[in-house]
Protein backbone atom coordinates (compact mmCIF):
# COMPACT_ATOMS: atom_id res chain seq x y z
CA UNK A 1 0.00 0.00 0.00
CA UNK A 2 1.47 3.42 -0.89
CA UNK A 3 2.57 5.30 2.21
CA UNK A 4 0.16 8.19 1.60
CA UNK A 5 -2.81 5.80 1.75
CA UNK A 6 -1.97 4.14 5.07
CA UNK A 7 -4.59 4.94 7.68
CA UNK A 8 -3.10 7.06 10.51
CA UNK A 9 -4.84 4.80 13.02
CA UNK A 10 -2.72 1.88 11.83
CA UNK A 11 0.43 3.92 12.46
CA UNK A 12 -0.68 4.65 16.02
CA UNK A 13 -1.60 1.06 16.70
CA UNK A 14 1.93 0.14 15.61
CA UNK A 15 3.35 2.91 17.83
CA UNK A 16 1.41 1.67 20.86
CA UNK A 17 2.59 -1.83 20.12
CA UNK A 18 6.22 -0.58 20.15
CA UNK A 19 5.64 1.10 23.51
CA UNK A 20 4.03 -1.99 25.02
CA UNK A 21 6.88 -4.12 23.75
CA UNK A 22 9.41 -1.68 25.22
CA UNK A 23 7.76 -1.88 28.65
CA UNK A 24 7.60 -5.67 28.52
CA UNK A 25 11.28 -5.94 27.54
CA UNK A 26 12.23 -4.39 30.88
CA UNK A 27 14.74 -2.11 29.17
CA UNK A 28 16.40 0.76 31.01
CA UNK A 29 13.92 3.55 31.62
CA UNK A 30 16.15 6.05 29.76
CA UNK A 31 15.85 3.93 26.60
CA UNK A 32 12.08 3.73 27.07
CA UNK A 33 11.94 7.53 27.33
CA UNK A 34 13.84 7.80 24.04
CA UNK A 35 11.32 5.48 22.36
CA UNK A 36 8.41 7.53 23.75
CA UNK A 37 10.00 10.77 22.54
CA UNK A 38 10.55 9.35 19.05
CA UNK A 39 6.95 8.11 19.00
CA UNK A 40 5.61 11.52 20.05
CA UNK A 41 7.62 13.10 17.23
CA UNK A 42 5.41 11.08 14.83
CA UNK A 43 2.35 13.10 15.85
CA UNK A 44 1.27 15.35 12.94
CA UNK A 45 3.03 18.71 13.20
CA UNK A 46 5.43 17.65 15.95
CA UNK A 47 9.15 17.72 15.18
CA UNK A 48 10.65 17.28 18.65
CA UNK A 49 9.78 15.85 22.05
CA UNK A 50 11.27 15.77 25.54
CA UNK A 51 10.43 13.50 28.47
CA UNK A 52 11.11 15.67 31.50
CA UNK A 53 11.28 14.20 35.00
CA UNK A 54 11.56 15.94 38.36
CA UNK A 55 15.00 15.74 39.93
CA UNK A 56 15.36 13.92 43.25
CA UNK A 57 15.08 17.17 45.23
CA UNK A 58 11.92 18.16 43.36
CA UNK A 59 13.37 21.56 42.44
CA UNK A 60 13.75 21.17 38.65
CA UNK A 61 12.58 19.16 35.69
CA UNK A 62 15.32 17.42 33.72
CA UNK A 63 15.17 16.04 30.18
CA UNK A 64 15.62 12.28 30.54
CA UNK A 65 14.70 11.33 26.98
CA UNK A 66 14.33 13.33 23.82
CA UNK A 67 13.97 13.24 20.07
CA UNK A 68 14.69 16.09 17.65
CA UNK A 69 16.29 18.51 20.12
CA UNK A 70 19.88 19.65 19.81
CA UNK A 71 22.42 18.66 22.48
CA UNK A 72 22.82 22.38 23.24
CA UNK A 73 19.11 22.68 23.97
CA UNK A 74 19.15 19.66 26.27
CA UNK A 75 22.23 20.95 28.09
CA UNK A 76 20.74 24.43 28.55
CA UNK A 77 17.37 23.05 29.67
CA UNK A 78 19.02 20.68 32.14
CA UNK A 79 21.12 23.46 33.67
CA UNK A 80 18.25 24.67 35.84
CA UNK A 81 15.94 26.30 33.33
CA UNK A 82 12.91 24.15 34.13
CA UNK A 83 12.61 25.35 37.69
CA UNK A 84 9.87 24.39 40.11
CA UNK A 85 11.03 27.17 42.48
CA UNK A 86 8.69 30.21 42.56
CA UNK A 87 11.63 32.62 42.94
CA UNK A 88 13.20 31.45 39.67
CA UNK A 89 12.47 33.36 36.43
CA UNK A 90 11.74 30.02 34.69
CA UNK A 91 8.99 29.10 37.18
CA UNK A 92 6.27 30.17 34.70
CA UNK A 93 7.55 27.88 31.95
CA UNK A 94 4.87 25.69 30.34
CA UNK A 95 6.49 22.47 31.61
CA UNK A 96 6.77 23.80 35.15
CA UNK A 97 3.11 24.89 35.08
CA UNK A 98 1.97 21.53 33.67
CA UNK A 99 3.91 19.72 36.38
CA UNK A 100 2.72 21.91 39.26
CA UNK A 101 -0.94 22.05 38.19
CA UNK A 102 -1.31 18.57 36.70
CA UNK A 103 -2.87 20.15 33.59
CA UNK A 104 -2.00 20.22 29.90
CA UNK A 105 -0.43 23.53 28.88
CA UNK A 106 -0.48 24.52 25.18
CA UNK A 107 1.41 27.46 23.75
CA UNK A 108 0.18 28.26 20.24
CA UNK A 109 2.72 30.99 19.50
CA UNK A 110 5.77 30.67 21.75
CA UNK A 111 7.41 33.82 20.43
CA UNK A 112 4.44 35.96 21.55
CA UNK A 113 3.55 34.25 24.85
CA UNK A 114 4.61 36.18 27.99
CA UNK A 115 5.01 33.00 30.06
CA UNK A 116 7.40 31.73 27.42
CA UNK A 117 9.68 34.78 27.54
CA UNK A 118 12.74 33.11 29.12
CA UNK A 119 12.58 30.38 26.46
CA UNK A 120 12.11 32.65 23.44
CA UNK A 121 15.71 32.55 22.24
CA UNK A 122 15.84 28.77 22.62
CA UNK A 123 12.61 28.44 20.64
CA UNK A 124 14.05 30.58 17.85
CA UNK A 125 17.28 28.58 17.77
CA UNK A 126 15.46 25.24 17.77
CA UNK A 127 12.99 26.41 15.13
CA UNK A 128 9.72 25.79 16.91
CA UNK A 129 6.78 28.12 17.39
CA UNK A 130 4.33 26.10 19.44
CA UNK A 131 4.50 23.46 22.13
CA UNK A 132 2.39 21.41 24.50
CA UNK A 133 3.31 20.12 27.95
CA UNK A 134 1.39 17.12 29.30
CA UNK A 135 1.88 16.05 32.93
CA UNK A 136 3.09 12.52 33.61
CA UNK A 137 1.18 11.22 36.59
CA UNK A 138 2.53 9.03 39.36
CA UNK A 139 0.19 7.35 41.81
CA UNK A 140 -1.35 10.61 43.00
CA UNK A 141 0.74 13.49 41.65
CA UNK A 142 2.77 14.54 38.61
CA UNK A 143 6.28 13.06 38.35
CA UNK A 144 7.27 14.63 35.04
CA UNK A 145 6.13 16.18 31.78
CA UNK A 146 5.91 15.09 28.16
CA UNK A 147 6.73 18.18 26.08
CA UNK A 148 6.28 18.35 22.31
CA UNK A 149 7.45 21.10 19.98
CA UNK A 150 6.33 22.20 16.51
CA UNK A 151 7.61 24.61 13.88
CA UNK A 152 3.95 25.42 13.14
CA UNK A 153 1.70 27.79 15.03
CA UNK A 154 -0.44 25.18 16.83
CA UNK A 155 -0.16 21.49 17.57
CA UNK A 156 -3.01 21.44 20.06
CA UNK A 157 -5.69 19.81 17.91
CA UNK A 158 -8.09 17.50 19.76
CA UNK A 159 -6.61 14.47 17.95
CA UNK A 160 -3.03 15.43 18.87
CA UNK A 161 -3.98 16.06 22.50
CA UNK A 162 -5.62 12.63 22.65
CA UNK A 163 -2.43 11.02 21.31
CA UNK A 164 -0.36 12.92 23.88
CA UNK A 165 -2.61 11.65 26.66
CA UNK A 166 -2.16 8.09 25.39
CA UNK A 167 1.62 8.55 25.46
CA UNK A 168 1.62 10.15 28.90
CA UNK A 169 -0.51 7.27 30.22
CA UNK A 170 1.98 4.79 28.69
CA UNK A 171 4.86 6.52 30.45
CA UNK A 172 2.98 6.58 33.74
CA UNK A 173 2.19 2.89 33.38
CA UNK A 174 5.86 2.07 32.64
CA UNK A 175 7.02 4.06 35.66
CA UNK A 176 4.63 2.20 37.96
CA UNK A 177 5.82 -1.14 36.59
CA UNK A 178 9.48 -0.13 36.98
CA UNK A 179 8.98 1.00 40.59
Amino acid sequence: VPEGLVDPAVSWIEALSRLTKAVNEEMPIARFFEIVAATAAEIPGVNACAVQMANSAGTHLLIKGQHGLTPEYVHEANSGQMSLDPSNSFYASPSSRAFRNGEVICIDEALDDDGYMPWRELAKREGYRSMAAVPLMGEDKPVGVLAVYSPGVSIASPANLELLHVLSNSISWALRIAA
Side-chain angles (χ1 to χ4, degrees):
V1 176
E3 188 174 307
L5 298 179
V6 175
D7 186 339
V10 171
S11 296
W12 272 95
I13 291 169
E14 290 170 354
L16 291 175
S17 176
R18 283 193 311 269
L19 293 175
T20 302
K21 182 179 177 188
V23 170
N24 289 331
E25 286 181 4
E26 298 181 18
M27 66 179 58
I29 198 72
R31 177 67 184 126
F32 176 73
F33 289 158
E34 296 290 334
I35 292 170
V36 169
T39 302
E42 295 177 25
I43 293 174
V46 173
N47 70 331
C49 176
V51 178
Q52 307 164 349
M53 301 300 291
N55 66 354
S56 60
T59 59
H60 292 84
L61 294 171
L62 299 171
I63 295 175
K64 297 293 189 171
Q66 64 87 22
H67 181 85
L69 297 172
T70 64
E72 295 80 19
Y73 180 92
V74 174
H75 175 73
E76 198 162 335
N78 282 350
S79 66
Q81 292 202 19
M82 292 186 289
S83 180
L84 301 172
D85 175 0
S87 67
N88 188 297
S89 63
F90 290 95
Y91 183 70
S93 76
S95 292
S96 178
R97 291 190 337 237
F99 180 86
R100 292 189 325 270
N101 301 330
E103 298 174 356
V104 175
I105 303 293
C106 297
I107 306 295
D108 288 334
E109 181 56 80
L111 301 180
D112 292 337
D113 187 273
D114 288 339
Y116 212 78
M117 172 108 120
W119 290 93
R120 229 173 247 152
E121 288 308 311
L122 279 174
K124 284 181 192 176
R125 267 196 327 232
E126 294 293 310
Y128 65 83
R129 292 179 60 192
S130 64
M131 66 92 59
V134 181
L136 302 174
M137 301 303 293
E139 289 295 325
D140 59 350
K141 64 180 182 173
V143 295
V145 172
L146 179 67
V148 294
Y149 309 90
S150 173
V153 174
S154 179
I155 56 174
S157 70
N160 283 358
L161 289 175
E162 184 62 34
L163 294 173
L164 290 170
H165 282 293
V166 168
L167 288 173
S168 78
N169 288 339
S170 295
I171 296 170
S172 298
W173 175 56
L175 291 172
R176 282 194 288 277
I177 289 173

